[in-house]
Amino acid sequence: MALKYVDQIDFKGKRVIARFDFNVPLSKDGTKKITDTTRIDSSMQTIRKILDGGASKLIMMSHLGRPDGVANPKYSLEPVAKYLAEKLGQDVILTESSIDDGIPTLLGLSTTKIVLLENLRFHPEEEENDREFARKLSTYADFYVNDAFGTAHRKHASTYEINAFFKNNSAGGYLLKTEVEALNKIAEPPQQHPYVAIVGGAKVSDKIKIIERLLVGVDQLLIGGAMAYPFLKASGKTVGTSLCSDEDVKLATKLLNSKQASKISLPVDHICSDSMEGNPQTVSAQSIPENLMGLDIGPRTVENYSSFISKAKTILWNGPMGLFENSNFDKGTFAIANALAKSKAFTLVGGGDSVSAINKSGVSDKISHISTGGGASLEYIELGSLPGINALKFGVE
Ligand code: AMP
């Protein structure tokens, strides 16, 4: 069954409830200014399609921050409502709560067109995927749209259970469509080969499942960042004082003993220091001396990895190659970003830190797709779909 998207829907006269990801960062100085509006801006195409398509009402919903099931003005969607009203040039009414008793009356007024429900996560039922909470939300509309890709890996009331009440009356938004189409090029064989995945960042345990899954399909898996040290230790090298837990060494050992192990490439040299704040020094061997910690991949590793990248036709990158927030240890990450930018392959970057690394390196416009949902994009690649997308496609009983 194919997933329906908003571009196939006639919204004329429909009451539409739509889930977005308006989880934007707010300034901490008390003024609650939105410091980065990207998430709202990238929802505008779907919002405009619904409104220009003639919907009679648009009820928008989102979460913001982690209020943990308790109403907290700090996490109110008020700044979002204000910004949306400015962008749309129309009134956007923010409700007192997402299941406020007054909502049906409000929606009954002919003057009410666009409503933003207050933060869904003020109610514990949202994250509990509560059926009754989902049912209440569903009573506001006759059509459901989900454009919150970043939360599609969560089984929450507004992303999952709500689908029980909109059989054949639901669609994915444009953001979801762009993500799914790009991720399918990576998640669904046949990918264009050679297919190279680059995985970095800090913890093997968080990414072990994705690595296991990737190893089946990729031709080469390049490992960098703090991810590399458990693998190096598992292959008998020394890692000095680098980040490296026993648990991660166990997991790395398992992968190095798998049938696919020959596809794994590890750093052959490093940029190290005596602390995260210390001066950088190059270690030209795979083993790291006792008193040093690895904080970036070295120049020979950059060369090796860039050579794989230059020949690839499909490239996935998740996780920085080093402690790139510190300019002493950002060279490896930026070199990989530049190698991706030069490549003619389909390049997909996913995961919060690799996205900020690619933005910082100034080459984001040369990447085929930068996924907005860190956890969601990784899970999509691992599982080939996400609970929120499956529910939209097949419904919920
Ligand atoms: P992750 O969320 O797993 O992608 O990890 C990203 C974080 O890992 C970033 O904050 C990096 O600074 C950090 N990181 C990457 N490589 C290293 C390293 N060699 N040592 C310490 N931290 C690192």
Side-chain angles (χ1 to χ4, degrees):
M1 196 191 291
L3 188 54
K4 259 191 292 172
Y5 292 108
V6 284
D7 48 0
Q8 299 160 262
I9 306 298
D10 177 8
F11 285 105
K12 209 166 176 52
K14 285 192 168 65
R15 274 181 179 225
V16 181
I17 187 161
R19 174 63 155 100
F20 295 101
D21 180 1
F22 295 148
N23 184 24
V24 287
L26 299 177
S27 66
K28 298 196 169 53
D29 59 4
T31 59
K32 295 216 294 180
K33 268 218 188 101
I34 302 172
T35 54
D36 180 355
T37 59
T38 312
R39 285 198 166 140
I40 309 178
D41 298 338
S42 47
S43 307
M44 288 313 289
Q45 198 190 356
T46 297
I47 296 175
R48 290 229 156 88
K49 163 75 187 166
I50 297 168
L51 291 173
D52 297 349
S56 63
K57 312 273 173 195
L58 170 60
I59 301 111
M60 295 182 279
M61 48 183 179
S62 177
H63 72 283
L64 177 75
R66 292 173 189 264
D68 290 332
V70 182
N72 179 344
K74 200 172 127 192
Y75 298 111
S76 169
L77 283 168
E78 198 185 336
V80 176
K82 242 193 226 161
Y83 181 74
L84 280 167
E86 270 166 36
K87 279 217 81 143
L88 291 166
Q90 295 186 66
D91 287 343
V92 174
I93 303 169
L94 179 70
T95 63
E96 289 243 347
S97 94
S98 51
I99 46 166
D100 192 76
D101 287 344
I103 294 174
T105 316
L106 176 71
L107 290 172
L109 301 174
S110 61
T111 46
T112 305
K113 172 115 192 207
I114 309 171
V115 170
L116 175 64
L117 303 183
E118 184 53 286
N119 195 338
L120 292 159
R121 293 195 188 165
F122 283 178
H123 308 269
E125 294 91 337
E126 162 65 357
E127 289 175 84
E128 287 161 9
N129 195 30
D130 182 80
R131 165 101 21 160
E132 180 52 21
F133 183 74
R135 189 196 63 76
K136 266 190 201 149
L137 296 173
S138 76
T139 58
Y140 306 150
D142 44 48
F143 197 92
Y144 169 68
V145 170
N146 188 353
D147 207 17
F149 178 77
T151 45
H153 58 317
R154 310 250 183 248
K155 268 191 174 179
H156 289 171
S158 67
T159 58
Y160 190 82
E161 203 66 17
I162 195 166
N163 290 281
F165 304 96
F166 289 102
K167 287 209 174 85
N168 300 319
N169 281 314
S170 61
Y174 286 112
L175 203 66
L176 203 89
K177 183 178 182 189
T178 311
E179 289 280 3
V180 167
E181 286 178 353
L183 286 163
N184 278 347
K185 294 195 182 165
I186 294 276
E188 284 180 358
Q191 298 95 356
Q192 292 278 314
H193 287 262
Y195 170 20
V196 172
I198 311 147
V199 183
K203 266 193 144 191
V204 183
S205 48
D206 286 354
K207 298 187 189 171
I208 187 82
K209 284 213 196 90
I210 171 94
I211 291 183
E212 268 177 336
R213 158 108 194 186
L214 284 173
L215 270 177
V216 179
V218 298
D219 299 295
Q220 203 67 41
L221 179 75
L222 313 177
I223 297 191
M227 289 278 291
Y229 313 122
F231 282 90
L232 288 171
K233 196 164 180 186
S235 55
K237 308 288 183 248
T238 59
V239 298
T241 56
S242 310
L243 278 185
C244 186
S245 74
D246 292 344
E247 164 73 16
D248 288 348
V249 176
K250 247 194 239 157
L251 295 170
T253 307
K254 190 177 142 209
L255 288 173
L256 289 175
N257 287 330
S258 75
K259 267 200 245 145
Q260 318 279 358
S262 60
K263 296 177 178 176
I264 300 177
S265 288
L266 297 174
V268 291
D269 59 349
H270 314 271
I271 307 296
C272 298
S273 188
D274 48 13
S275 76
M276 290 194 188
E277 295 77 34
N279 290 323
Q281 63 184 84
T282 306
V283 169
S284 308
Q286 246 187 334
S287 275
I288 296 173
E290 199 179 313
N291 57 333
L292 292 178
M293 60 168 60
L295 292 165
D296 194 6
I297 53 173
R300 274 197 302 128
T301 308
V302 166
E303 227 174 88
N304 289 349
Y305 287 7
S306 301
S307 162
F308 282 121
I309 290 169
S310 70
K311 293 182 200 111
K313 292 238 168 64
T314 305
I315 307 173
L316 165 71
W317 182 21
N318 176 284
M321 296 290 101
L323 188 76
F324 77 103
E325 296 90 340
N326 179 336
S327 61
N328 284 329
F329 309 110
D330 62 6
K331 312 282 177 301
T333 299
F334 291 163
I336 296 300
N338 280 308
L340 251 72
K342 270 197 227 143
S343 151
K344 300 233 174 339
F346 174 79
T347 46
L348 190 144
V349 177
D353 276 314
S354 12
V355 173
S356 79
I358 211 101
N359 287 337
K360 239 175 131 183
S361 63
V363 297
S364 45
D365 58 331
K366 304 239 164 47
I367 303 300
S368 315
H369 181 71
I370 299 180
S371 178
T372 51
S377 62
L378 278 193
E379 251 186 73
Y380 192 96
I381 293 164
E382 184 192 327
L383 307 170
S385 191
L386 295 173
I389 293 173
N390 278 340
L392 204 55
K393 219 165 159 179
F394 306 112
V396 167
E397 284 312 312

